[in-house]
Amino acid sequence: MLALAAFMFFGPFYRQVMLGRSEIFPRWVMYSGAGLGVVRVEFFLEDHAGERRRLERVADGGAEIRLISGMADLQAVIRELLTQHHDSRALIVNAEMATPRGWETVYQEERFTLADR
Amino acid sequence: MNHPARSPVRALYDWFVLPEGSTRSLALLRIGIVALIWCRWASAMVLVRMPGLGQSVLALAFFLATALMLVGLWTRFSAAATALVMLVTYYYFGVYQGLEGWAKHHTCLLMMSAVLIALTPCGRSLSMDRFLAIRRAARSGGAIPDERGELWGLRLIQVQVFCVYFWSVADKLNPAYLSGERLQSILIWLYGGSGDPQWAGFPVLCLAMAWASVLIESTLAFGLFVPRWLKFLIPLGILLHGAFYILFPVSTFSLNMILLYLAFIPAAWLHAGIDAMLAPVALRGGRS
């Protein structure tokens, strides 16, 4: 009985504190890995007169700013938007990615042009 | 008069060993655990989905053992068989073979619940075993067996609930969670696109949810052991897990935790409560 109680208490200690990898022992870290890599992003288009406008969540032209996960996915969306808005001078991006330490900035006022496609 | 000091191990043991008591809470747990096992596993265990002989045997054992356990027939055997099936499901197919979705938090809790309830006399109430025992007693003129048994298994279930809350809170005690940022990314991942929610309340809501979850789970971890707090803490826990159930795809986890609260209600209270509910029926000669 005490052995089972010890398994229930010290199993998670081994997994969560000592970072043991054996899955024989339980751990209670619900949703700790969920949403990692998710990117939250703001896109702005700059026209040739230097005017800037924000691309809304459902962007002009019907292209939705969908859920973006990871840098490769973000770069694919940037290329997609540059193609769609080829008449603009630049696409300006602010982006943060979810990490175990919280949001981390990946682009701060980063400018992309058609040449970056 | 001085009493010799008890060793910590002896004190822990004495705390663990609950006195004998009513087995009705064990019976309710038995029935609820089978219901949750079916919710999670029954559709996954139908033979057409079993890729090999090993899993087909497991599936047949699953349905036989859980059905017997639900009605409380040969309960010692059927509960042990159900626990064994859950252990094989979780460790062999989930952990060892790595089948997707078979070794998750909610399946682990369900497996632990099945193992722990199998260690108890959960068939002495609300069961076919009891019905047959009463009939035997009536035929032989013997005494009707009491609905009583050893309750140390209830204490193990309490420890399991404590461990879930304790280690879950331990996992949340970091700046990313307590600032609400981890919840923001989880909610965006589940509900939104990567266009950040534009309403100003979103970060504040996530901050409040993060602190509320940590404070409530910490309180439940320790407070559920205090019987006079149960009338506040059980509704609070149900609200917390209800919110989790509605917001996040947690499968059987929330309902499993709520079900295990039964282990904290003193067995005598629960027995008397069921008697009180059934009394009007008894007064009318058993007709509902």
Side-chain angles (χ1 to χ4, degrees):
Chain A
M1 183 169 71
L2 287 176
L4 200 48
F7 172 81
M8 289 191 283
F9 186 79
F10 291 108
F13 177 83
Y14 163 76
R15 294 291 301 280
Q16 294 177 224
V17 178
M18 296 171 66
L19 304 179
R21 297 175 67 87
S22 171
E23 293 180 47
I24 289 171
F25 300 98
R27 61 177 181 159
W28 303 110
V29 293
M30 287 69 80
Y31 273 83
S32 65
L36 294 178
V38 160
V39 176
R40 66 177 181 184
V41 66
E42 286 179 314
F43 293 118
F44 297 94
L45 285 175
E46 188 179 279
D47 64 20
H48 289 284
E51 287 287 311
R52 178 194 272 215
R53 72 184 170 89
R54 184 191 173 93
L55 275 176
E56 296 301 335
R57 186 162 174 239
V58 177
D60 301 351
E64 186 176 350
I65 300 175
R66 57 174 170 77
L67 182 68
I68 300 166
S69 189
M71 280 304 285
D73 198 16
L74 175 61
Q75 284 157 358
V77 171
I78 289 170
R79 282 196 297 275
E80 204 176 297
L81 288 171
L82 285 169
T83 304
Q84 265 174 31
H85 300 280
H86 53 83
D87 51 343
S88 298
R89 186 161 70 184
L91 178 72
I92 296 152
V93 182
N94 292 317
E96 294 176 307
M97 187 181 293
T99 73
R101 296 165 299 285
W103 293 113
E104 286 190 356
T105 302
V106 289
Y107 289 135
Q108 177 81 45
E109 291 293 304
E110 194 82 16
R111 291 173 67 84
F112 294 88
T113 63
L114 270 178
D116 295 314
R117 273 190 303 168
Chain B
M1 197 169 89
N2 287 331
H3 293 285
R6 287 184 307 172
S7 74
V9 173
R10 180 71 207 182
L12 188 63
Y13 183 81
D14 287 346
W15 175 79
F16 246 106
V17 183
L18 281 167
E20 262 197 19
S22 165
T23 49
R24 284 187 182 172
S25 43
L26 295 172
L28 291 176
L29 280 162
R30 182 195 87 230
I31 293 165
I33 287 167
V34 173
L36 289 175
I37 287 173
W38 279 359
C39 274
R40 173 58 185 84
W41 289 113
S43 65
M45 291 279 183
V46 290
L47 287 180
V48 71
R49 295 200 174 145
M50 296 293 108
L53 181 64
Q55 277 171 300
S56 299
V57 171
L58 178 80
L60 290 172
F62 168 87
F63 285 110
L64 181 64
T66 53
L68 290 174
M69 183 176 164
L70 179 74
V71 299
L73 184 59
W74 307 316
T75 314
R76 278 291 193 188
F77 162 78
S78 58
T82 298
L84 187 62
V85 168
M86 288 292 99
L87 282 164
V88 172
T89 300
Y90 182 82
Y91 280 115
Y92 182 72
F93 290 106
V95 173
Y96 179 68
Q97 291 211 334
L99 294 189
E100 179 65 30
W102 285 45
K104 297 282 188 185
H105 291 105
H106 69 281
T107 57
C108 183
L109 184 63
L110 209 43
M111 178 268 293
M112 288 302 297
S113 303
V115 168
L116 295 176
I117 200 67
L119 299 173
T120 70
C122 60
R124 286 196 198 160
S125 296
L126 309 175
S127 64
M128 282 298 293
D129 286 342
R130 177 160 175 77
F131 173 77
L132 295 172
I134 290 171
R135 201 169 65 173
R136 274 195 303 272
R139 282 179 181 163
S140 66
I144 293 174
D146 281 340
E147 293 180 74
R148 294 182 67 78
E150 290 182 356
L151 298 183
W152 54 265
L154 275 181
R155 189 66 94 193
L156 284 175
I157 294 173
Q158 293 173 356
V159 170
Q160 178 60 81
V161 172
F162 168 81
C163 289
V164 171
Y165 286 133
F166 181 87
W167 289 110
S168 173
V169 167
D171 182 55
K172 293 181 174 85
L173 295 180
N174 61 75
Y177 188 85
L178 294 173
S179 65
E181 291 192 4
R182 285 294 294 121
L183 271 180
Q184 286 179 32
S185 59
I186 290 169
L187 288 172
I188 288 172
W189 176 63
L190 287 171
Y191 288 102
S194 281
D196 198 17
Q198 293 302 302
W199 52 289
F202 182 64
V204 178
L205 177 73
C206 290
L207 180 69
M209 284 169 64
W211 277 90
S213 62
V214 167
L215 291 174
I216 294 172
E217 286 181 12
S218 311
T219 308
L220 290 170
F222 296 97
L224 285 170
F225 289 94
V226 184
R228 66 176 183 277
W229 293 357
L230 291 179
K231 62 184 165 193
F232 306 110
L233 292 186
I234 288 180
L236 185 66
I238 290 171
L239 279 176
L240 176 80
H241 287 293
F244 287 161
Y245 192 80
I246 291 166
L247 276 172
F248 308 117
V250 292
S251 189
T252 52
F253 191 87
S254 285
L255 296 177
N256 203 156
M257 289 298 285
I258 292 170
L259 175 69
L260 297 185
Y261 288 169
L262 280 172
F264 290 92
I265 300 173
W269 292 9
L270 199 132
H271 189 103
I274 292 175
D275 274 349
M277 280 191 285
L278 297 177
V281 178
L283 287 173
R284 286 186 306 212
R287 290 191 302 266
S288 58

